[in-house]
Amino acid sequence: MRGFRYIALAGLLATGIYSLPAQQAPVKLPGTVRPKPHPTPSSPLAASMARGQRVYKNVCLTCHQADGGGVPNMNPPLIKTDYVLGDKKRLVGIVLRGLKGPNEIEGETYTQNMPAQAYLTDLNIADVLTYVRNSFGNKASAVTPAEVHALRDAPAAGQ
Amino acid sequence: MNSFSLRLPLGAAAIAGSLLLYASRPTAPRLAPDPDNAGLKLPAGFGALKVAETGGKARHLVVMPNGLIYVKLNSAKDGKGIVVLKPGADGRATVAGGFGSYGGTGIATQGGYLYASSDVAVYRYKLDGQDQVTNQSQPELVVHGLKKENEHESKSIALDPTGNLYVNVGAYSNACQEKDRERGSKGMPNCPILDSAGGIWQFKTDRLGQREQDGTRYATGLRNVVGLDWNKQDNKLFVMQHGRDQLHDNWPALYGDKESALLPAECLYELSAGANAGWPYVYYDQQKKQLMQGPEYGGDGKTPAKGNYLKPAAAYPGHMAPNGLLFYTGSMFPAKYRNGAFIAFHGSWNRAPEPQAGYFVVFQPFKDGQPSGQWEVFADNFAGSAAKAASGRADHRPCGLAQGPDGSLYVSDDSKGTIYRIMYNAK
């Protein structure tokens, strides 16, 4: 992880731009951040949000859509639902192990299975869930890599 | 049929005027379209009106010879999964009850029966002389036990003129991966899903209580079909396949997200008994005009398909979700539309982060029972605006198509439940 950060920073200094095409990179800087005197966001939360936005775009956006609203009848919305704002353990578990449909949320049924995303790093998952819990009108506490790590090898919760 | 109810009240005093107005088409009633054509963009000479609001997710529909409309809802509303719309003199219709406690998609009519499907069964209802269902609570069970998992669960239906019923049993998977939709997961060898899904099953209309295994697997290798119709010129079943999703998401090293937004094609197939369209092993690339090997089965975006599979009769850009197919046999529309196909594209989700597309009805010209010439967008702006289409937050989403007795084209919307009627009004 440290090694990658070093490479990313070096690339950033060398080019002055933020375009990072790699798909599997565990840490990425956002393409949407305005140029600032300091290349890294000021607070740890902002930094996590910015990394999480990149993960969201690469992994989640196709199904859950740019606005987090999901797809009617198929993929659930991430906006103001208990799944996102409630128990963090359940939420982390869904990312690690997927979620079998159909699921009923706010009276609507969503049928598609969510695939497991266990190939993401603890930091990737913490960042993207922090991003989702604080985007699209959501506001909830951050998720830490340690919280993800603790659940990675845990038996599947009763979902 | 509507012409009688409209023309009888016309008094003698109006006849002179109406003779002038209707001189070129004396038998066609002139229905006024909505001032804004129900919000739709149509070719010159066409108009549209909103027939009714069903208030449910209106999937497929049929219009009877007397103008009565039956609409199948995705899920039952107030315990009724089929809505009955009674026609009025102005071309619109009013909700006149409903029946069938199950949600579903398919509905079709032939030989004095109305057929309707849930996601696991097909029922039929006897019609009386006025095309009314008499035994609303006691349909006959034609087929049951159809395979249903968490994907592609709708069972669309079509009928041929010789007593056969065709039912889509969609594959409960995107591409038959070992782990559905997981990045990099390989395809299962000899895809086991195809035994009971991923194809069209054929049943007898007059045999009750058939199970899926009592039917014939008429065609296989079809991921999911929602729009299908029997072509009476060609005497063949045509189906629209929903092509696979997520080439980029699952194989980012092989496909960019722009490529993945366009590929693979949504395909129109002409089926014969025993046809195999190749899902999940292959997909159709409409730019290369070639069947390609799927990445789950050793493909890399450049390798042509191994094996001999049915080629599409026509192909359309990816992910637009063709949910309705109708061969137009009416005489209201200009001659070029006769025997051609209308296709309702429900609209995409799997093009993100590229702009979404679809949310329109396409016309595909046909000649002698085969696609002939370039398709064109016929009815557009169901979404409400270009921005709403691009974001996927469409106001309305076209799903089912039906032809009225006068040749009007009816379109159902499974987002808000609006029923549209498109008419040709030029002389």
Side-chain angles (χ1 to χ4, degrees):
Chain A
M1 197 61 65
R2 231 174 285 134
F4 184 83
R5 187 169 294 155
Y6 170 75
I7 291 164
L9 279 172
L12 199 69
L13 288 170
T15 62
I17 55 167
Y18 301 112
S19 60
L20 292 169
Q23 288 293 328
Q24 284 82 12
V27 180
K28 285 178 201 155
L29 292 169
T32 51
V33 162
R34 286 187 220 96
K36 284 179 186 176
H38 303 290
T40 47
S42 49
S43 73
L45 177 66
S48 178
M49 287 281 288
R51 291 190 305 265
Q53 186 183 32
R54 289 301 298 248
V55 177
Y56 185 83
K57 185 172 176 293
N58 283 329
V59 179
C60 320
L61 185 146
T62 310
C63 293
H64 293 290
Q65 304 287 298
D67 61 4
V71 178
N73 310 315
M74 298 181 73
N75 308 320
L78 303 175
I79 303 170
K80 295 181 178 172
T81 78
D82 186 58
Y83 275 97
V84 170
L85 299 174
D87 182 9
K88 282 199 265 186
K89 286 182 181 169
R90 180 175 67 172
L91 183 61
V92 170
I94 290 170
V95 175
L96 286 171
R97 285 178 281 279
L99 182 64
K100 205 165 161 51
N103 292 287
E104 197 181 306
I105 299 174
E106 309 282 333
E108 293 289 328
T109 303
Y110 301 90
T111 55
Q112 200 150 284
N113 296 329
M114 156 121 178
Q117 310 289 344
Y119 65 90
L120 294 172
T121 65
D122 294 342
L123 182 66
N124 284 158
I125 293 173
D127 287 341
V128 77
L129 291 181
T130 299
Y131 172 74
V132 165
R133 279 162 65 87
N134 291 282
S135 301
F136 323 125
N138 294 334
K139 189 135 186 63
S141 61
V143 175
T144 67
E147 286 172 309
V148 177
H149 191 75
L151 291 165
R152 190 171 278 276
D153 300 316
Q159 291 156 13
Chain B
M1 218 45 80
N2 281 342
S3 62
F4 289 106
S5 54
L6 250 189
R7 290 167 72 80
L8 278 176
L10 288 178
I15 288 178
S18 54
L19 274 178
L20 281 174
L21 274 170
Y22 298 131
S24 64
R25 290 169 68 96
T27 56
R30 287 304 182 107
L31 298 171
D34 290 350
D36 66 345
N37 283 333
L40 303 184
K41 286 189 185 128
L42 301 164
F46 286 89
L49 55 79
K50 285 186 179 176
V51 176
E53 300 290 349
T54 61
K57 292 176 180 171
R59 297 285 282 176
H60 287 173
L61 76 169
V62 290
V63 186
M64 307 305 293
N66 63 4
L68 205 63
I69 305 167
Y70 293 106
V71 184
K72 189 75 202 77
L73 300 185
N74 194 47
S75 47
K77 185 172 175 273
D78 305 324
K80 297 175 173 74
I82 299 170
V83 175
V84 185
L85 300 176
K86 202 176 162 192
D90 59 358
R92 293 174 182 75
T94 48
V95 176
F99 55 94
S101 58
Y102 51 94
T105 291
I107 195 158
T109 180
Q110 194 163 277
Y113 283 96
L114 181 73
Y115 296 78
S117 68
S118 72
D119 290 347
V120 293
V122 181
Y123 302 90
R124 73 173 188 177
Y125 302 81
K126 185 94 186 88
L127 296 167
D128 68 11
Q130 280 74 50
D131 291 330
Q132 305 259 14
V133 170
T134 49
N135 57 341
Q136 291 190 341
S137 60
Q138 290 168 306
E140 294 175 332
L141 181 63
V142 183
V143 184
H144 63 129
L146 294 166
K147 185 75 176 175
K148 180 202 167 215
E149 298 282 339
N150 295 334
E151 263 178 89
H152 308 141
E153 57 271 42
S154 69
K155 304 293 186 289
S156 323
I157 59 174
L159 301 161
D160 75 12
T162 56
N164 293 303
L165 163 72
Y166 300 87
V167 182
N168 168 65
V169 185
Y172 45 95
S173 171
N174 176 36
C176 207
Q177 288 170 287
E178 285 165 2
K179 292 177 178 172
D180 187 31
R181 295 178 190 266
E182 276 199 29
R183 187 169 289 190
S185 174
K186 292 246 185 286
M188 287 188 266
N190 196 17
C191 179
I193 291 170
L194 291 167
D195 288 349
S196 61
I200 302 290
W201 266 253
Q202 185 192 49
F203 301 92
K204 295 289 171 202
T205 51
D206 59 0
R207 222 183 111 199
L208 302 184
Q210 298 163 92
R211 302 192 69 92
E212 184 170 316
Q213 56 267 33
D214 300 324
T216 303
R217 192 175 68 172
Y218 186 74
T220 189
L222 290 159
R223 178 177 174 272
N224 187 34
V225 166
V226 186
L228 72 174
D229 196 16
W230 186 265
N231 185 309
K232 292 192 175 79
Q233 269 200 319
D234 192 39
N235 216 26
K236 289 275 171 61
L237 181 69
F238 281 76
V239 303
M240 288 293 315
Q241 176 181 241
H242 282 221
R244 52 88 42 86
D245 300 324
Q246 293 181 285
L247 283 169
H248 168 73
D249 285 338
N250 291 347
W251 306 95
L254 301 177
Y255 301 88
D257 51 18
K258 282 193 168 57
E259 231 178 337
S260 190
L262 277 173
L263 296 177
E266 303 287 50
C267 293
L268 172 68
Y269 289 102
E270 177 197 30
L271 298 183
S272 301
N276 184 346
W279 179 92
Y281 311 112
V282 304
Y283 66 86
Y284 190 72
D285 182 327
Q286 74 275 24
Q287 294 169 322
K288 293 188 171 79
K289 295 187 170 37
Q290 207 165 23
L291 283 170
M292 307 297 291
Q293 191 71 11
E296 291 78 9
Y297 291 90
D300 56 4
K302 299 177 186 70
T303 308
K306 296 163 190 149
N308 192 20
Y309 297 109
L310 180 66
K311 288 221 170 72
Y316 309 86
H319 311 301
M320 299 198 305
N323 275 7
L325 174 66
L326 175 85
F327 289 105
Y328 184 79
T329 57
S331 54
M332 176 198 262
F333 290 6
K336 81 164 199 181
Y337 294 99
R338 186 87 58 88
N339 298 314
F342 286 102
I343 306 164
F345 282 99
H346 192 234
S348 68
W349 63 272
N350 195 225
R351 286 178 162 237
E354 294 295 299
Q356 304 293 357
Y359 315 100
F360 47 48
V361 175
V362 152
F363 177 68
Q364 170 66 62
F366 264 64
K367 192 164 181 270
D368 303 327
Q370 294 297 316
S372 169
Q374 185 59 39
W375 60 275
E376 61 197 42
V377 174
F378 174 74
D380 203 354
N381 201 42
F382 286 89
S385 72
K388 286 178 181 178
S391 69
R393 301 295 170 221
D395 290 345
H396 301 275
R397 305 186 73 175
C399 184
L401 298 170
Q403 187 181 307
D406 68 345
S408 294
L409 178 69
Y410 288 74
V411 186
S412 58
D413 147 41
D414 72 355
S415 183
K416 298 238 174 25
T418 305
I419 307 299
Y420 296 85
R421 177 175 182 171
I422 301 172
M423 304 158 294
Y424 187 66
N425 283 322
K427 288 179 184 171

